[in-house]
């Protein structure tokens, strides 16, 4: 397992490095520096406010997804979410999601696998929202080329992942499920872990929970789009809502690519390519990406450090003494 983790980290770091080199070779760095130097930093406060509202909506969404399983206070979900984002900032391949599920599972007395299942549902909802936003934006803006192709690839991935989750929820009803269950009985630890993961996935089958999650996703992505628009205003680029929406959803799709910590490089490359597709100068698009990315890192890292200080290091009860956990 350590070798697999090291290989994954190495591949992610290589992808980030290549993406960063592509950006630095294609952008007028002097013009980017000039745009940043002349930026109206009053918009930075607006940007940070929208990022905070985005994170608040995401925390509430996760709380509602957890509600059918256990009551988790809102402040707790905020802290677990921020600790996970802090881990994503320093670990490759979005491993912060595992950190988040570990903290929430341990501190709230629920299965970590079940908690991870709710995070999987959250990620699928986010992917569906991102693809929907990007699809509408490319139609409104009549965007073609690599950006449109990437959105179509994201749409295909969203359908595939949603299908896998649906199969996971209804696995016990599928043909051959009895034989598979009998085979799984030979490996009780794996069987129990999969069962608890499905318990988390099942929240997607509750209409009220799903509607609440979708509405809160729409709210959070609205704030994310407005954050990009505010960054554009800061450097003197008056982005339309469609342009800001395409950039916000595009960098989110890029974050799905295995990369280094904090999606360094892939975030900026996606923003520059989208800017080019909608007529924004490369240097301005790069400046917008840097402002938003730094803002996100500042808010999530500072919030994560504060949350980590309040929560302390995670603790683990031995599995023998805690059969309901995984």
């Amino acid at each position: 397992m350590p070798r697999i983790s090291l290989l994954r980290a190495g591949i992610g770091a290589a992808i980030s490095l290549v993406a960063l080199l592509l950006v630095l070779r294609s952008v007028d760095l002097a013009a980017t520096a000039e745009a940043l130097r002349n930026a109206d930093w009053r918009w930075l406060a607006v940007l940070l406010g929208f990022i905070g509202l985005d994170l608040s909506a995401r925390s509430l969404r996760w709380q509602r997804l957890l509600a059918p399983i256990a009551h988790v206070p809102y402040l707790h979900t905020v802290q677990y979410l921020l600790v996970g984002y802090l881990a994503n900032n320093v670990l490759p391949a979005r491993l912060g999601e595992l950190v988040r599920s570990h903290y929430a599972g341990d501190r709230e007395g629920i299965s970590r696998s079940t908690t991870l299942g709710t995070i999987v549902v959250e990620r699928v909802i986010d992917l569906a929202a991102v693809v929907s936003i990007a699809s509408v934006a490319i139609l409104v803006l009549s965007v073609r080329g690599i950006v449109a192709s990437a959105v179509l690839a994201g749409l295909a991935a969203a359908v595939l992942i949603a299908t896998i989750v649906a199969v996971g929820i209804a696995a016990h009803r599928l043909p051959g499920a009895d034989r598979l269950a009998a085979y799984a009985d030979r490996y009780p630890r794996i069987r129990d872990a999969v069962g608890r993961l499905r318990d988390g996935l099942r929240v997607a089958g509750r209409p009220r929970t799903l509607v609440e999650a979708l509405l809160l996703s729409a709210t959070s992505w609205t704030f994310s789009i407005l954050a990009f628009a505010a960054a554009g205003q800061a450097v003197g680029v008056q982005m339309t809502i469609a342009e800001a929406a395409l950039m916000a959803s595009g960098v989110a799709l890029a974050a799905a690519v295995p990369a280094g910590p904090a999606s360094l490089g892939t975030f900026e490359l996606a923003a520059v390519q989208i800017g080019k597709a909608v007529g924004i100068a490369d240097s301005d698009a790069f400046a917008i990406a840097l402002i938003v990315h730094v803002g996100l890192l500042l808010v999530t890292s500072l919030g994560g450090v504060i949350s980590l200080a309040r929560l302390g290091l995670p603790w683990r009860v031995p599995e023998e003494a805690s059969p309901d956990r995984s």
Side-chain angles (χ1 to χ4, degrees), residues 1 26 60 76 95 132 134 179 227 251 268 290 300:
M1 288 300 292
S26 64
L60 183 57
H76 291 193
L95 293 176
S132 299
R179 283 179 294 177
V251 298
E268 288 74 18
L290 289 175
T300 55

Side-chain angles (χ1 to χ4, degrees), residues 75-110:
L75 181 58
H76 291 193
T77 60
V78 173
Q79 291 175 335
Y80 303 143
L81 188 78
L82 288 172
V83 168
Y85 281 147
L86 173 63
N88 278 336
N89 292 344
V90 297
L91 297 174
R94 299 190 67 85
L95 293 176
E97 309 297 11
L98 296 178
V99 174
R100 181 177 21 145
S101 66
H102 182 83
Y103 263 95
D106 274 349
R107 297 311 173 98
E108 302 301 328
I110 55 180

Side-chain angles (χ1 to χ4, degrees), residues 141-224:
L141 297 169
S142 299
V143 171
R144 299 290 183 269
I146 188 171
V147 173
S149 299
V151 172
L152 291 175
L155 177 60
V159 171
L160 175 61
I161 294 172
T163 302
I164 292 172
V165 171
V167 169
I169 294 172
H172 62 291
R173 301 176 183 171
L174 299 177
D178 292 340
R179 283 179 294 177
L180 189 60
Y183 179 78
D185 285 339
R186 302 179 189 177
Y187 307 94
R189 289 178 65 86
I190 296 177
R191 178 201 62 203
D192 292 345
V194 171
R196 291 169 186 145
L197 178 64
R198 285 180 57 217
D199 287 342
L201 295 176
R202 283 196 189 103
V203 300
R206 300 172 67 96
R208 178 176 176 179
T209 299
L210 186 59
V211 169
E212 288 175 340
L214 290 171
L215 290 175
L216 288 166
S217 292
T219 302
S220 70
W221 279 106
T222 297
F223 290 133
S224 182

